[in-house]
Amino acid sequence: QKEVEQNSGPLSVPEGAIASLNCTYSDRGSQSFFWYRQYSGKSPELIMFIYSNGDKEDGRFTAQLNKASQYVSLLIRDSQPSDSATYLCAVKGDKIIFGKGTRLHILP
Amino acid sequence: DGGITQSPKYLFRKEGQNVTLSCEQNLNHDAMYWYRQDPGQGLRLIYYSQIVNDFQKGDIAEGYSVSREKKESFPLTVTSAQKNPTAFYLCASTVVGASYNEQFFGPGTRLTVL
């Protein structure tokens, strides 16, 4: 059974600090990795995707991928209250598998 | 504007009724997906289709049916055989091909069984 694991949280981070969200996956054949943000009652929206080892930065967001350790993370710098949401990690090999998500709460 | 629409936004079903959830996309995507999300849970795949007139069961297909008669449309029917259908239903689509193509999601339909 291919799995994607995330800490369910909630992860509480002070406003202005760095939020670090982590995800591990079991399928070594996975090729691409996505981070989605989901506000309560809404549908997921894509924040970042990454498919090469290393870091990928987009504004306040940085995705990090380590295929050897089967680990992908999302860093959110200068956290804002509007970043409070559930973050879903998705891993794509022969099919896409979603983690259960981490609830992030930014403390004003 | 290109995107995915789902209707209705809220749906109430009585015990023993079949209901159909609509999903339409104008993104010219080949693949379409239906997911179910329960509180505090991730997305569980119900059915998916990569081409018109063809679809495959996902992880939790029992009690559900789909059709794909047009590229733009992928309706989901929740049958009376689905014993616990109350959930948030999400439709998604993507381009078939490159592995890094993201899935785009519709706004979702919240189904409640009375």
Side-chain angles (χ1 to χ4, degrees), chain A residues 33-52:
Chain A
F33 308 84
F34 305 85
W35 282 100
Y36 286 84
R37 178 177 65 200
Q38 186 177 24
Y39 292 115
S40 181
K42 302 295 185 182
S43 60
E45 56 179 329
L46 185 71
I47 298 295
M48 296 278 293
F49 73 88
I50 186 168
Y51 52 90
S52 298

Side-chain angles (χ1 to χ4, degrees), chain A residues 31-32 36 38 43 92 96, chain B residues 35 37 99-100 102-103 106:
Chain A
Q31 299 164 341
S32 49
Y36 286 84
Q38 186 177 24
S43 60
K92 189 172 182 181
I96 191 167
Chain B
Y35 293 94
Q37 188 175 39
S99 63
Y100 51 82
E102 66 175 289
Q103 287 194 358

Side-chain angles (χ1 to χ4, degrees), chain A residues 15-99:
Chain A
E15 184 175 356
I18 296 174
S20 178
L21 305 165
N22 304 316
C23 173
T24 59
Y25 60 95
S26 61
D27 180 13
R28 286 195 171 273
S30 300
Q31 299 164 341
S32 49
F33 308 84
F34 305 85
W35 282 100
Y36 286 84
R37 178 177 65 200
Q38 186 177 24
Y39 292 115
S40 181
K42 302 295 185 182
S43 60
E45 56 179 329
L46 185 71
I47 298 295
M48 296 278 293
F49 73 88
I50 186 168
Y51 52 90
S52 298
N53 274 328
D55 295 0
K56 179 181 179 182
E57 186 174 319
D58 183 2
R60 297 188 295 114
F61 300 94
T62 299
Q64 299 176 317
L65 175 61
N66 184 326
K67 289 186 178 181
S69 299
Q70 295 174 245
Y71 176 93
V72 59
S73 64
L74 179 70
L75 301 178
I76 306 175
R77 290 182 299 281
D78 188 24
S79 296
Q80 303 296 312
S82 60
D83 295 326
S84 296
T86 296
Y87 289 79
L88 303 175
C89 171
V91 174
K92 189 172 182 181
D94 56 350
K95 63 178 182 177
I96 191 167
I97 301 173
F98 287 84

